[in-house]
Amino acid sequence: MKTAFLFMAIILAVQNLYGQKAEVLRNDDVVAMHQAKVSANLIKQKINMSERRFDMSVPGLLALKSVKLPEPIIEVMLTSTTPIDLMQNEHVIQLHNAGFSKRLIIQKIQAGPSRFNVTTDGLIQLRIAKVPEAITKVMINGNSKSK
């Protein structure tokens, strides 16, 4: 009787283990771990080891900034995602005004498609918005994903 019970318990445990669907990590999950004070290193490891569907659009990045998610974690999220939103001048200005680092803005520019206005008027708009020249240079040079 004890052997049969043990055998059934093992079968149920194995079914439960393999029957569970893989967790898909999203922005809210990363924010929840950060707010629960899980270390940044563990969060980064979890990101790298998980299936993920992050919203790395400009509104998604701004939402992460608003909850004070550290930029190194956002960088790992961005690196592990292929952004599909089309970056334009106003998006760069929004990210700059939100206080994102030059490094992260450049990473975002280089990660996905873009259509920048680098005409005289576009460059003046960026200058008035005080977008750093290093970012503007990347915008002018484009990248392999730009259209």
Side-chain angles (χ1 to χ4, degrees), residues 93-106:
I93 292 168
Q94 287 176 330
L95 294 175
H96 172 68
N97 289 342
F100 282 101
S101 70
K102 286 187 281 192
R103 176 180 158 152
L104 189 128
I105 296 170
I106 290 170

Side-chain angles (χ1 to χ4, degrees), residues 21-34 38-56 64 69 73-74 76-78 80-81:
K21 293 183 181 180
E23 176 184 27
V24 177
L25 211 57
R26 300 186 190 281
N27 292 28
D28 290 343
D29 301 314
V30 175
V31 170
M33 287 188 284
H34 172 68
V38 174
S39 76
N41 287 336
L42 286 178
I43 294 172
K44 290 177 193 177
Q45 184 176 3
K46 176 72 173 169
I47 291 168
N48 288 326
M49 301 301 292
S50 299
E51 183 178 338
R52 53 213 171 250
R53 289 204 185 95
F54 297 129
D55 176 4
M56 293 286 99
L64 294 172
L69 189 69
I73 294 173
I74 296 173
V76 173
M77 294 170 71
L78 185 56
S80 68
T81 305

